[in-house]
Amino acid sequence: MKVSHMSFPALALLSFSLIHAQTTKKMKEIKTEIIIDASPELVWQVLTDFESYPDWNPFLVSIEGDKEVGGRLTNKMVSNGKTNVFKPTILTWEENQHFEWLGSLPLRLFTGRHYFILEAINAQQTKLIHGEKFGGLLRAMIMKQIGETTLQNFLAMNRALKQQVESKVEIGK
């Protein structure tokens, strides 16, 4: 069968669409939750005080950048004794409620939508939902290598955030 030059762009578009649909279907999510005995406003204040991360955060030891949608961050994370730097872009910034960024490898071979959602239980309790949705052609391979460690790092950060926030509540009493 002879393929004309005009059908090549259509074939390329079809191939991209199939790859995109497959990577979307294969997305994996790590989702954690913790109850913090403080208001969403106080949790937000500590969570978004990036300058203090080295003092309390065992996982994301440094975040620098613009705190706004479209802002570019420079994040340092420590996992298994190794420090990695990545530069995600903020997708969502809803004060006292929701903060999300997108990081990716070149050509979006591996992507991560990292999120923090704060839900008020009452005036003095907040549920933190902390997770990440992973995608891209290399997702399965990379998640086999880092999935369990990433989950443990999220849990450690949650516990450290809870301790940091609740210590501020105790000081205020």
Side-chain angles (χ1 to χ4, degrees):
M1 182 173 131
K2 188 174 182 178
V3 177
S4 73
H5 291 298
M6 291 190 61
S7 66
F8 180 74
L11 182 61
L13 182 59
L14 176 62
S15 297
F16 174 78
S17 297
L18 290 174
I19 289 169
H20 178 66
Q22 289 173 343
T23 58
T24 301
K25 278 194 245 180
K26 292 181 180 179
M27 189 171 277
K28 180 174 170 65
E29 181 174 9
I30 293 176
K31 183 177 178 182
T32 63
E33 296 181 0
I34 193 167
I35 304 298
I36 300 174
D37 293 327
S39 68
E41 292 80 12
L42 183 56
V43 176
W44 181 264
Q45 179 185 344
V46 174
L47 181 64
T48 61
D49 179 10
F50 299 154
E51 294 79 20
S52 72
Y53 271 38
D55 299 333
W56 65 267
N57 197 328
F59 174 51
L60 288 169
V61 297
S62 172
I63 297 182
E64 297 175 355
D66 296 326
K67 299 176 186 178
E68 60 186 28
V69 173
R72 188 88 164 155
L73 301 174
T74 299
N75 296 357
K76 282 187 195 172
M77 72 175 181
V78 174
S79 183
N80 288 334
K82 295 178 186 170
T83 301
N84 292 302
V85 175
F86 59 103
K87 297 183 177 189
T89 301
I90 295 177
L91 301 176
T92 306
W93 188 272
E94 297 172 11
E95 195 164 324
N96 301 320
Q97 296 177 35
H98 184 188
F99 167 38
E100 183 174 347
W101 68 63
L102 175 67
S104 66
L105 290 178
L107 305 175
R108 294 194 180 250
L109 292 173
F110 182 68
T111 62
R113 289 180 69 116
H114 199 111
Y115 59 87
F116 303 92
I117 300 169
L118 306 180
E119 293 181 356
I121 295 172
N122 57 49
Q124 296 306 314
Q125 279 192 316
T126 303
K127 177 172 32 172
L128 169 71
I129 303 167
H130 172 196
E132 191 158 358
K133 295 177 183 177
F134 300 94
L137 291 174
L138 300 179
R139 186 215 42 91
M141 180 184 73
I142 292 174
M143 289 309 293
K144 275 185 187 175
Q145 296 173 357
I146 68 165
E148 183 57 34
T149 302
T150 301
L151 172 62
Q152 295 308 315
N153 286 331
F154 286 12
L155 293 171
M157 179 178 171
N158 294 354
R159 289 188 298 269
L161 177 63
K162 176 180 174 71
Q163 183 176 4
Q164 182 71 6
V165 171
E166 291 178 358
S167 72
K168 292 186 178 299
V169 171
E170 290 301 315
I171 291 170
K173 286 185 178 178

PDB file of all heavy atoms in Angstrom, residues 112-138:
ATOM      1  N   GLY A 112       4.521  14.182  37.268  1.00  0.00           N
ATOM      2  CA  GLY A 112       3.946  14.094  38.602  1.00  0.00           C
ATOM      3  C   GLY A 112       3.165  15.349  38.932  1.00  0.00           C
ATOM      4  O   GLY A 112       3.704  16.452  38.834  1.00  0.00           O
ATOM      5  N   ARG A 113       1.886  15.190  39.264  1.00  0.00           N
ATOM      6  CA  ARG A 113       1.038  16.294  39.737  1.00  0.00           C
ATOM      7  C   ARG A 113       0.930  16.140  41.243  1.00  0.00           C
ATOM      8  O   ARG A 113       0.147  15.331  41.736  1.00  0.00           O
ATOM      9  CB  ARG A 113      -0.350  16.241  39.104  1.00  0.00           C
ATOM     10  CG  ARG A 113      -0.349  16.604  37.631  1.00  0.00           C
ATOM     11  CD  ARG A 113      -1.762  16.536  37.072  1.00  0.00           C
ATOM     12  NE  ARG A 113      -2.570  17.603  37.622  1.00  0.00           N
ATOM     13  CZ  ARG A 113      -3.095  18.595  36.911  1.00  0.00           C
ATOM     14  NH1 ARG A 113      -2.896  18.644  35.610  1.00  0.00           N
ATOM     15  NH2 ARG A 113      -3.823  19.527  37.484  1.00  0.00           N
ATOM     16  N   HIS A 114       1.748  16.894  41.955  1.00  0.00           N
ATOM     17  CA  HIS A 114       1.844  16.817  43.414  1.00  0.00           C
ATOM     18  C   HIS A 114       0.828  17.782  44.011  1.00  0.00           C
ATOM     19  O   HIS A 114       0.743  18.927  43.571  1.00  0.00           O
ATOM     20  CB  HIS A 114       3.260  17.211  43.838  1.00  0.00           C
ATOM     21  CG  HIS A 114       3.622  16.765  45.200  1.00  0.00           C
ATOM     22  ND1 HIS A 114       4.561  15.797  45.418  1.00  0.00           N
ATOM     23  CD2 HIS A 114       3.165  17.139  46.416  1.00  0.00           C
ATOM     24  CE1 HIS A 114       4.677  15.604  46.731  1.00  0.00           C
ATOM     25  NE2 HIS A 114       3.826  16.410  47.353  1.00  0.00           N
ATOM     26  N   TYR A 115       0.064  17.324  45.002  1.00  0.00           N
ATOM     27  CA  TYR A 115      -0.976  18.189  45.546  1.00  0.00           C
ATOM     28  C   TYR A 115      -1.086  18.102  47.062  1.00  0.00           C
ATOM     29  O   TYR A 115      -0.725  17.093  47.678  1.00  0.00           O
ATOM     30  CB  TYR A 115      -2.338  17.874  44.912  1.00  0.00           C
ATOM     31  CG  TYR A 115      -2.798  16.443  45.123  1.00  0.00           C
ATOM     32  CD1 TYR A 115      -3.504  16.068  46.266  1.00  0.00           C
ATOM     33  CD2 TYR A 115      -2.527  15.462  44.171  1.00  0.00           C
ATOM     34  CE1 TYR A 115      -3.920  14.760  46.462  1.00  0.00           C
ATOM     35  CE2 TYR A 115      -2.945  14.161  44.360  1.00  0.00           C
ATOM     36  CZ  TYR A 115      -3.645  13.813  45.503  1.00  0.00           C
ATOM     37  OH  TYR A 115      -4.043  12.513  45.697  1.00  0.00           O
ATOM     38  N   PHE A 116      -1.569  19.199  47.618  1.00  0.00           N
ATOM     39  CA  PHE A 116      -1.905  19.325  49.032  1.00  0.00           C
ATOM     40  C   PHE A 116      -3.302  19.927  49.083  1.00  0.00           C
ATOM     41  O   PHE A 116      -3.517  21.015  48.542  1.00  0.00           O
ATOM     42  CB  PHE A 116      -0.938  20.260  49.762  1.00  0.00           C
ATOM     43  CG  PHE A 116       0.502  19.854  49.672  1.00  0.00           C
ATOM     44  CD1 PHE A 116       1.316  20.357  48.658  1.00  0.00           C
ATOM     45  CD2 PHE A 116       1.050  18.980  50.601  1.00  0.00           C
ATOM     46  CE1 PHE A 116       2.652  19.997  48.575  1.00  0.00           C
ATOM     47  CE2 PHE A 116       2.385  18.617  50.522  1.00  0.00           C
ATOM     48  CZ  PHE A 116       3.183  19.121  49.514  1.00  0.00           C
ATOM     49  N   ILE A 117      -4.241  19.248  49.722  1.00  0.00           N
ATOM     50  CA  ILE A 117      -5.609  19.748  49.865  1.00  0.00           C
ATOM     51  C   ILE A 117      -5.910  19.823  51.359  1.00  0.00           C
ATOM     52  O   ILE A 117      -5.676  18.856  52.095  1.00  0.00           O
ATOM     53  CB  ILE A 117      -6.617  18.826  49.156  1.00  0.00           C
ATOM     54  CG1 ILE A 117      -6.305  18.745  47.661  1.00  0.00           C
ATOM     55  CG2 ILE A 117      -8.055  19.308  49.400  1.00  0.00           C
ATOM     56  CD1 ILE A 117      -7.068  17.673  46.910  1.00  0.00           C
ATOM     57  N   LEU A 118      -6.428  20.957  51.798  1.00  0.00           N
ATOM     58  CA  LEU A 118      -6.801  21.147  53.196  1.00  0.00           C
ATOM     59  C   LEU A 118      -8.318  21.170  53.298  1.00  0.00           C
ATOM     60  O   LEU A 118      -8.969  21.969  52.631  1.00  0.00           O
ATOM     61  CB  LEU A 118      -6.229  22.462  53.735  1.00  0.00           C
ATOM     62  CG  LEU A 118      -4.731  22.683  53.575  1.00  0.00           C
ATOM     63  CD1 LEU A 118      -4.337  24.028  54.174  1.00  0.00           C
ATOM     64  CD2 LEU A 118      -3.940  21.567  54.204  1.00  0.00           C
ATOM     65  N   GLU A 119      -8.855  20.284  54.152  1.00  0.00           N
ATOM     66  CA  GLU A 119     -10.299  20.246  54.389  1.00  0.00           C
ATOM     67  C   GLU A 119     -10.550  20.502  55.866  1.00  0.00           C
ATOM     68  O   GLU A 119     -10.048  19.761  56.719  1.00  0.00           O
ATOM     69  CB  GLU A 119     -10.880  18.887  53.993  1.00  0.00           C
ATOM     70  CG  GLU A 119     -10.828  18.606  52.507  1.00  0.00           C
ATOM     71  CD  GLU A 119     -11.433  17.258  52.133  1.00  0.00           C
ATOM     72  OE1 GLU A 119     -11.830  16.478  53.040  1.00  0.00           O
ATOM     73  OE2 GLU A 119     -11.510  16.980  50.932  1.00  0.00           O
ATOM     74  N   ALA A 120     -11.328  21.533  56.154  1.00  0.00           N
ATOM     75  CA  ALA A 120     -11.670  21.845  57.545  1.00  0.00           C
ATOM     76  C   ALA A 120     -12.610  20.768  58.079  1.00  0.00           C
ATOM     77  O   ALA A 120     -13.645  20.494  57.468  1.00  0.00           O
ATOM     78  CB  ALA A 120     -12.325  23.212  57.637  1.00  0.00           C
ATOM     79  N   ILE A 121     -12.242  20.171  59.192  1.00  0.00           N
ATOM     80  CA  ILE A 121     -13.132  19.237  59.890  1.00  0.00           C
ATOM     81  C   ILE A 121     -14.014  20.051  60.830  1.00  0.00           C
ATOM     82  O   ILE A 121     -15.216  19.864  60.908  1.00  0.00           O
ATOM     83  CB  ILE A 121     -12.321  18.172  60.648  1.00  0.00           C
ATOM     84  CG1 ILE A 121     -11.554  17.313  59.638  1.00  0.00           C
ATOM     85  CG2 ILE A 121     -13.233  17.334  61.542  1.00  0.00           C
ATOM     86  CD1 ILE A 121     -10.574  16.354  60.260  1.00  0.00           C
ATOM     87  N   ASN A 122     -13.372  20.964  61.543  1.00  0.00           N
ATOM     88  CA  ASN A 122     -14.047  21.969  62.370  1.00  0.00           C
ATOM     89  C   ASN A 122     -13.066  23.126  62.503  1.00  0.00           C
ATOM     90  O   ASN A 122     -12.042  23.137  61.817  1.00  0.00           O
ATOM     91  CB  ASN A 122     -14.489  21.381  63.731  1.00  0.00           C
ATOM     92  CG  ASN A 122     -13.325  20.791  64.514  1.00  0.00           C
ATOM     93  OD1 ASN A 122     -12.279  21.422  64.674  1.00  0.00           O
ATOM     94  ND2 ASN A 122     -13.500  19.573  65.015  1.00  0.00           N
ATOM     95  N   ALA A 123     -13.341  24.071  63.387  1.00  0.00           N
ATOM     96  CA  ALA A 123     -12.492  25.268  63.479  1.00  0.00           C
ATOM     97  C   ALA A 123     -11.062  24.950  63.917  1.00  0.00           C
ATOM     98  O   ALA A 123     -10.146  25.715  63.630  1.00  0.00           O
ATOM     99  CB  ALA A 123     -13.116  26.279  64.434  1.00  0.00           C
ATOM    100  N   GLN A 124     -10.873  23.825  64.585  1.00  0.00           N
ATOM    101  CA  GLN A 124      -9.546  23.498  65.126  1.00  0.00           C
ATOM    102  C   GLN A 124      -8.981  22.167  64.631  1.00  0.00           C
ATOM    103  O   GLN A 124      -8.045  21.643  65.217  1.00  0.00           O
ATOM    104  CB  GLN A 124      -9.596  23.504  66.653  1.00  0.00           C
ATOM    105  CG  GLN A 124      -9.915  24.870  67.239  1.00  0.00           C
ATOM    106  CD  GLN A 124      -8.984  25.960  66.740  1.00  0.00           C
ATOM    107  OE1 GLN A 124      -7.772  25.809  66.698  1.00  0.00           O
ATOM    108  NE2 GLN A 124      -9.552  27.092  66.324  1.00  0.00           N
ATOM    109  N   GLN A 125      -9.545  21.640  63.553  1.00  0.00           N
ATOM    110  CA  GLN A 125      -9.008  20.410  62.974  1.00  0.00           C
ATOM    111  C   GLN A 125      -9.069  20.487  61.452  1.00  0.00           C
ATOM    112  O   GLN A 125     -10.066  20.945  60.884  1.00  0.00           O
ATOM    113  CB  GLN A 125      -9.788  19.179  63.425  1.00  0.00           C
ATOM    114  CG  GLN A 125      -9.392  18.666  64.784  1.00  0.00           C
ATOM    115  CD  GLN A 125      -9.985  17.291  65.026  1.00  0.00           C
ATOM    116  OE1 GLN A 125     -11.156  17.055  64.730  1.00  0.00           O
ATOM    117  NE2 GLN A 125      -9.184  16.404  65.573  1.00  0.00           N
ATOM    118  N   THR A 126      -7.999  20.008  60.827  1.00  0.00           N
ATOM    119  CA  THR A 126      -7.887  20.025  59.376  1.00  0.00           C
ATOM    120  C   THR A 126      -7.439  18.652  58.893  1.00  0.00           C
ATOM    121  O   THR A 126      -6.528  18.055  59.467  1.00  0.00           O
ATOM    122  CB  THR A 126      -6.840  21.069  58.931  1.00  0.00           C
ATOM    123  OG1 THR A 126      -7.220  22.347  59.452  1.00  0.00           O
ATOM    124  CG2 THR A 126      -6.707  21.136  57.423  1.00  0.00           C
ATOM    125  N   LYS A 127      -8.083  18.197  57.825  1.00  0.00           N
ATOM    126  CA  LYS A 127      -7.598  16.983  57.162  1.00  0.00           C
ATOM    127  C   LYS A 127      -6.700  17.431  56.014  1.00  0.00           C
ATOM    128  O   LYS A 127      -7.121  18.196  55.147  1.00  0.00           O
ATOM    129  CB  LYS A 127      -8.740  16.131  56.626  1.00  0.00           C
ATOM    130  CG  LYS A 127      -8.193  14.910  55.870  1.00  0.00           C
ATOM    131  CD  LYS A 127      -9.170  13.843  55.417  1.00  0.00           C
ATOM    132  CE  LYS A 127     -10.526  14.212  55.057  1.00  0.00           C
ATOM    133  NZ  LYS A 127     -11.280  13.080  54.450  1.00  0.00           N
ATOM    134  N   LEU A 128      -5.456  16.969  56.045  1.00  0.00           N
ATOM    135  CA  LEU A 128      -4.523  17.207  54.946  1.00  0.00           C
ATOM    136  C   LEU A 128      -4.581  15.991  54.034  1.00  0.00           C
ATOM    137  O   LEU A 128      -4.381  14.862  54.487  1.00  0.00           O
ATOM    138  CB  LEU A 128      -3.097  17.389  55.461  1.00  0.00           C
ATOM    139  CG  LEU A 128      -2.006  17.371  54.377  1.00  0.00           C
ATOM    140  CD1 LEU A 128      -2.061  18.624  53.519  1.00  0.00           C
ATOM    141  CD2 LEU A 128      -0.626  17.195  54.990  1.00  0.00           C
ATOM    142  N   ILE A 129      -4.859  16.234  52.775  1.00  0.00           N
ATOM    143  CA  ILE A 129      -4.788  15.198  51.741  1.00  0.00           C
ATOM    144  C   ILE A 129      -3.560  15.559  50.906  1.00  0.00           C
ATOM    145  O   ILE A 129      -3.499  16.633  50.307  1.00  0.00           O
ATOM    146  CB  ILE A 129      -6.055  15.158  50.883  1.00  0.00           C
ATOM    147  CG1 ILE A 129      -7.278  14.936  51.774  1.00  0.00           C
ATOM    148  CG2 ILE A 129      -5.945  14.067  49.819  1.00  0.00           C
ATOM    149  CD1 ILE A 129      -8.595  15.193  51.086  1.00  0.00           C
ATOM    150  N   HIS A 130      -2.591  14.672  50.913  1.00  0.00           N
ATOM    151  CA  HIS A 130      -1.288  14.937  50.281  1.00  0.00           C
ATOM    152  C   HIS A 130      -1.010  13.778  49.337  1.00  0.00           C
ATOM    153  O   HIS A 130      -0.991  12.631  49.756  1.00  0.00           O
ATOM    154  CB  HIS A 130      -0.223  15.019  51.386  1.00  0.00           C
ATOM    155  CG  HIS A 130       1.180  15.103  50.892  1.00  0.00           C
ATOM    156  ND1 HIS A 130       2.249  14.860  51.719  1.00  0.00           N
ATOM    157  CD2 HIS A 130       1.718  15.402  49.689  1.00  0.00           C
ATOM    158  CE1 HIS A 130       3.370  15.003  51.045  1.00  0.00           C
ATOM    159  NE2 HIS A 130       3.069  15.335  49.809  1.00  0.00           N
ATOM    160  N   GLY A 131      -0.820  14.094  48.063  1.00  0.00           N
ATOM    161  CA  GLY A 131      -0.581  13.015  47.127  1.00  0.00           C
ATOM    162  C   GLY A 131       0.046  13.480  45.837  1.00  0.00           C
ATOM    163  O   GLY A 131       0.431  14.641  45.683  1.00  0.00           O
ATOM    164  N   GLU A 132       0.118  12.522  44.921  1.00  0.00           N
ATOM    165  CA  GLU A 132       0.672  12.818  43.609  1.00  0.00           C
ATOM    166  C   GLU A 132       0.111  11.825  42.610  1.00  0.00           C
ATOM    167  O   GLU A 132      -0.021  10.636  42.898  1.00  0.00           O
ATOM    168  CB  GLU A 132       2.202  12.732  43.640  1.00  0.00           C
ATOM    169  CG  GLU A 132       2.865  13.282  42.416  1.00  0.00           C
ATOM    170  CD  GLU A 132       4.314  13.690  42.637  1.00  0.00           C
ATOM    171  OE1 GLU A 132       4.821  13.588  43.768  1.00  0.00           O
ATOM    172  OE2 GLU A 132       4.938  14.129  41.658  1.00  0.00           O
ATOM    173  N   LYS A 133      -0.222  12.347  41.434  1.00  0.00           N
ATOM    174  CA  LYS A 133      -0.684  11.529  40.318  1.00  0.00           C
ATOM    175  C   LYS A 133       0.456  11.453  39.318  1.00  0.00           C
ATOM    176  O   LYS A 133       0.994  12.481  38.914  1.00  0.00           O
ATOM    177  CB  LYS A 133      -1.918  12.143  39.668  1.00  0.00           C
ATOM    178  CG  LYS A 133      -3.125  12.162  40.585  1.00  0.00           C
ATOM    179  CD  LYS A 133      -4.305  12.840  39.918  1.00  0.00           C
ATOM    180  CE  LYS A 133      -5.477  12.903  40.885  1.00  0.00           C
ATOM    181  NZ  LYS A 133      -6.621  13.609  40.295  1.00  0.00           N
ATOM    182  N   PHE A 134       0.814  10.226  38.938  1.00  0.00           N
ATOM    183  CA  PHE A 134       1.953  10.007  38.061  1.00  0.00           C
ATOM    184  C   PHE A 134       1.485   9.536  36.691  1.00  0.00           C
ATOM    185  O   PHE A 134       0.519   8.783  36.578  1.00  0.00           O
ATOM    186  CB  PHE A 134       2.881   8.943  38.663  1.00  0.00           C
ATOM    187  CG  PHE A 134       3.430   9.319  40.000  1.00  0.00           C
ATOM    188  CD1 PHE A 134       2.799   8.911  41.170  1.00  0.00           C
ATOM    189  CD2 PHE A 134       4.564  10.108  40.108  1.00  0.00           C
ATOM    190  CE1 PHE A 134       3.294   9.257  42.413  1.00  0.00           C
ATOM    191  CE2 PHE A 134       5.062  10.472  41.350  1.00  0.00           C
ATOM    192  CZ  PHE A 134       4.424  10.048  42.502  1.00  0.00           C
ATOM    193  N   GLY A 135       2.197   9.963  35.661  1.00  0.00           N
ATOM    194  CA  GLY A 135       1.879   9.541  34.309  1.00  0.00           C
ATOM    195  C   GLY A 135       3.117   9.551  33.441  1.00  0.00           C
ATOM    196  O   GLY A 135       4.221   9.818  33.903  1.00  0.00           O
ATOM    197  N   GLY A 136       2.925   9.269  32.168  1.00  0.00           N
ATOM    198  CA  GLY A 136       4.021   9.253  31.203  1.00  0.00           C
ATOM    199  C   GLY A 136       4.421   7.839  30.823  1.00  0.00           C
ATOM    200  O   GLY A 136       4.091   6.871  31.509  1.00  0.00           O
ATOM    201  N   LEU A 137       5.135   7.738  29.728  1.00  0.00           N
ATOM    202  CA  LEU A 137       5.520   6.428  29.203  1.00  0.00           C
ATOM    203  C   LEU A 137       6.409   5.628  30.159  1.00  0.00           C
ATOM    204  O   LEU A 137       6.378   4.409  30.153  1.00  0.00           O
ATOM    205  CB  LEU A 137       6.244   6.594  27.856  1.00  0.00           C
ATOM    206  CG  LEU A 137       5.378   7.078  26.700  1.00  0.00           C
ATOM    207  CD1 LEU A 137       6.236   7.347  25.479  1.00  0.00           C
ATOM    208  CD2 LEU A 137       4.296   6.055  26.377  1.00  0.00           C
ATOM    209  N   LEU A 138       7.194   6.304  30.984  1.00  0.00           N
ATOM    210  CA  LEU A 138       8.100   5.607  31.906  1.00  0.00           C
ATOM    211  C   LEU A 138       7.493   5.406  33.298  1.00  0.00           C
ATOM    212  O   LEU A 138       8.172   4.922  34.196  1.00  0.00           O
ATOM    213  CB  LEU A 138       9.417   6.380  32.029  1.00  0.00           C
ATOM    214  CG  LEU A 138      10.204   6.562  30.737  1.00  0.00           C
ATOM    215  CD1 LEU A 138      11.473   7.364  30.994  1.00  0.00           C
ATOM    216  CD2 LEU A 138      10.547   5.220  30.106  1.00  0.00           C
TER     217      LEU A 138
END
